[in-house]
């Protein structure tokens, strides 16, 4: 995994806006017709080239080969089928935020405004039915091998570019999942972990960075008002234990772990503070951690890293641009956000990222503009950080002093 050794590197979370022609074709023809496969391959090549041209160092395939970030997996596992939503199913649209702001949520639901940009019909197609486990869960590798091949082909022009592929965590697969086969939740979660491990391993074996997406772990605090802090932390710890089972034996320096507070455009007044889960997050067998750090609910949490020490050799990837607002961040603000983390953690331990995926969250024009200012801000921050280092007299740093300690 690359580090910011001579400048601040840039990346993002994964989902980018799929072209409408590709979304329409996948919705109408499925993902495996020859015409769709050709369109998908070309679209991945185009989105990789555009990321590189925009100044993004660590790129992905935009997640163009998937439906929704968590339920795409039903298309890759035997033993899970889609059914009409049962009246007895636990409602997904609930939580502390909805209880506190019922008028806002009634308005937002009626106006379909909670997720910003909802033109990608294929992205949302998986929510029409409920995933139900009806038999032994077994993984089918065809789709991930296709995605690997498309990304590898897209990188032929510039094979030195580092690339990642996002994959869902077991705890986030469980959301809305009905179980008619396994005798206990523990058995179900172990089966999910064993199956999704095959996708994890395929990505690492292909030479790409594996990114594990686990938005439901922090979101569960809001959605499950019955939790107190102790019971919530037990849930989060159990979820990480299952994830680490799936990651066992895979090299940590090829793995990124992403958590966020759910990317709906709501108040987020009841988000769990990062301080309550940072220690649990850092237990994940990963070399880098992606967190929200640019939206107004979480921007202040950089102060946490004055007290919490990032484990040796690990990387933090804070979001310095956000899906949460249409306003395009100024490059100076982006640079300032990066500097906050570099000062506290050491620049070599920081990569600049985004709060969450932009696909189906913000208009494509704005999403690409935000990635552009992410690159601009990283360049500004880099010039200042390394100028300061070059200005230090030789021997000015004591052995063992971290770059962050020096720059504070």
């Amino acid at each position: 995994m690359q580090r910011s050794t001579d400048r601040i590197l840039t990346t993002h979370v994964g989902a980018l806006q799929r072209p409408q022609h590709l979304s329409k074709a996948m919705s109408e023809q499925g993902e495996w017709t020859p015409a769709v496969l050709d369109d998908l391959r070309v679209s991945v090549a185009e989105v990789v080239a555009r990321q590189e041209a925009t100044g993004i160092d660590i790129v992905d395939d935009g997640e163009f080969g998937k439906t929704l970030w968590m339920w795409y997996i039903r298309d890759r596992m035997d033993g899970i089928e889609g059914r009409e939503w049962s009246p007895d199913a636990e409602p997904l649209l609930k939580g502390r935020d909805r209880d506190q702001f019922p008028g806002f949520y009634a308005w937002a639901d009626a106006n379909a405004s909670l997720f910003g940009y909802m033109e990608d019909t294929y992205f949302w197609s998986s929510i029409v039915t409920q995933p139900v486990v009806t038999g032994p869960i077994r993984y089918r590798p065809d789709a991930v091998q296709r995605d690997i091949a498309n990304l590898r082909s897209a990188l032929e022009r510039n094979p030195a570019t580092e690339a990642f592929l996002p994959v869902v965590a077991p705890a986030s697969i469980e959301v809305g999942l009905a179980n008619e086969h396994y005798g206990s939740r523990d058995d179900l979660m172990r089966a999910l972990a064993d199956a999704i491990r095959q996708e994890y391993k395929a990505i690492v074996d292909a030479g790409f960075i594996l990114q594990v997406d686990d938005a439901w772990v922090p979101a569960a605090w809001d959605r499950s008002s019955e939790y107190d802090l102790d019971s919530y932390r037990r849930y989060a710890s159990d979820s990480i234990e299952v994830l680490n089972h799936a990651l066992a034996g895979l090299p940590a320096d090829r793995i990124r772990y992403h958590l966020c507070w759910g990317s709906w455009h709501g108040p987020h007044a009841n988000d769990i503070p990062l301080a309550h889960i940072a220690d649990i997050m850092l237990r994940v067998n990963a070399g880098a951690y992606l967190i929200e750090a640019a939206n107004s609910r979480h921007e202040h949490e950089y102060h946490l890293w004055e007290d919490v020490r990032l484990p040796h050799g690990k990387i933090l990837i804070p979001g310095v641009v956000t899906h949460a607002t249409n306003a395009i961040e100024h490059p100076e603000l982006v640079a300032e956000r990066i500097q906050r983390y570099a000062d506290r953690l050491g620049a070599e331990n920081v990569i600049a990222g985004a709060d969450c995926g932009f696909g189906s969250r913000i208009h494509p024009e704005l999403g690409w503009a935000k990635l552009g200012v992410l690159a601009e801000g990283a360049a500004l921050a880099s010039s200042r950080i390394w100028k300061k280092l070059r200005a230090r007299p030789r021997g000015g740093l004591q052995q063992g002093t971290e770059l962050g300690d020096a720059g504070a």
Side-chain angles (χ1 to χ4, degrees):
M1 190 180 299
Q2 295 179 0
R3 305 183 74 92
S4 298
T5 53
D6 56 6
R7 63 183 177 87
I8 297 294
L9 297 176
T10 58
T11 189
H12 61 98
V13 168
L16 298 172
Q17 292 88 345
R18 184 168 18 217
Q20 288 192 16
H21 62 83
L22 177 59
S23 176
K24 184 174 187 290
M26 296 178 85
S27 295
E28 294 177 353
Q29 303 173 43
E31 59 180 298
W32 290 107
T33 62
V36 168
L37 290 173
D38 287 343
D39 195 357
L40 177 58
R41 176 179 51 78
V42 171
S43 295
V44 169
E46 290 173 346
V47 80
V48 167
R50 188 168 184 182
Q51 289 170 74
E52 292 173 337
T54 304
I56 302 304
D57 296 301
I58 305 162
V59 304
D60 82 329
D61 66 346
E63 299 195 72
F64 285 179
K66 300 175 180 176
T67 57
L68 193 64
W69 69 275
M70 57 187 182
W71 284 345
Y72 78 91
I73 204 64
R74 71 168 70 174
D75 301 321
R76 305 185 183 196
M77 288 184 180
D78 293 326
I80 302 178
E81 65 179 51
R83 294 184 188 167
E84 285 191 27
W85 281 92
S86 166
D88 299 327
E90 184 178 5
L92 296 177
L93 299 180
K94 63 169 190 171
R96 301 171 200 257
D97 239 37
R98 283 182 173 267
D99 292 344
Q100 185 175 349
F101 304 103
F104 164 78
Y105 278 100
W107 170 83
D109 290 343
N111 289 278
S113 67
L114 275 181
F115 291 97
Y117 183 76
M118 300 185 66
E119 301 301 312
D120 189 342
T121 54
Y122 192 65
F123 181 91
W124 295 107
S125 61
S126 63
I127 71 171
V128 176
T129 56
Q130 180 182 18
V132 181
V133 178
T134 58
I137 293 174
R138 295 189 178 91
Y139 183 74
R140 298 193 306 271
D142 310 51
V144 74
Q145 291 299 336
R146 176 205 62 198
D147 293 345
I148 287 170
N150 284 342
L151 184 54
R152 182 177 286 127
S153 175
L155 292 167
E156 286 178 353
R157 209 172 33 82
N158 191 2
T161 301
E162 191 165 68
F164 69 98
L165 281 170
V167 182
V168 64
S172 291
I173 301 174
E174 187 191 15
V175 178
L177 188 67
N179 174 27
E180 295 181 355
H181 176 75
Y182 292 96
S184 69
R185 179 177 179 269
D186 285 346
D187 291 342
L188 171 64
M189 295 306 295
R190 183 60 62 97
L192 290 173
D194 288 340
I196 196 63
R197 171 182 169 78
Q198 296 179 56
E199 184 154 297
Y200 296 172
K201 188 173 186 302
I203 291 168
V204 172
D205 287 349
F208 296 127
I209 300 295
L210 166 68
Q211 178 178 299
V212 180
D213 292 329
D214 209 6
W216 203 261
V217 164
W221 170 260
D222 171 74
R223 300 303 174 92
S224 303
S225 56
E226 68 274 14
Y227 281 142
D228 61 16
L229 185 57
D230 287 342
S231 58
Y232 167 76
R233 282 178 53 84
R234 284 195 297 273
Y235 159 80
S237 296
D238 290 347
S239 299
I240 298 311
E241 183 178 346
V242 172
L243 172 58
N244 279 335
H245 170 76
L247 294 172
L250 299 179
D253 66 352
R254 304 299 296 167
I255 299 167
R256 312 188 334 181
Y257 178 68
H258 164 235
L259 55 74
C260 69
W261 282 261
S263 53
W264 76 93
H265 296 302
H268 287 272
N270 294 280
D271 286 0
I272 190 80
L274 181 60
H276 290 329
I277 56 173
D279 62 321
I280 298 173
M281 174 187 77
L282 294 173
R283 296 176 200 165
V284 175
N285 180 44
Y289 305 93
L290 296 93
I291 59 169
E292 289 192 61
N295 68 68
S296 56
R297 191 69 194 178
H298 295 282
E299 185 172 2
H300 67 285
E301 291 181 322
Y302 67 90
H303 287 294
L304 172 70
W305 302 100
E306 295 159 8
D307 301 312
V308 175
R309 192 166 186 83
L310 189 67
H312 179 72
K314 303 297 185 180
I315 297 170
L316 194 71
I317 308 178
V320 291
V321 293
T322 185
H323 62 284
T325 174
N326 286 335
I328 307 300
E329 294 85 352
H330 196 285
E332 288 285 357
L333 175 60
V334 173
E336 183 175 316
R337 287 170 172 166
I338 293 169
Q339 184 76 56
R340 294 168 184 167
Y341 285 90
D343 285 349
R344 287 159 177 81
L345 301 174
E348 75 279 12
N349 300 320
V350 175
I351 294 174
D355 274 354
C356 193
F358 287 160
S360 294
R361 295 296 182 268
I362 196 168
H363 192 278
E365 288 182 349
L366 306 185
W368 285 105
K370 284 172 178 283
L371 291 181
V373 299
L374 166 60
E376 289 182 60
L380 283 173
S382 297
S383 66
R384 292 162 187 170
I385 292 168
W386 273 270
K387 180 180 179 181
K388 182 185 296 186
L389 288 176
R390 287 192 297 269
R392 290 184 180 277
R394 184 173 297 179
L397 291 181
Q398 297 179 0
Q399 185 176 5
T401 300
E402 293 192 4
L403 186 59
D405 299 328

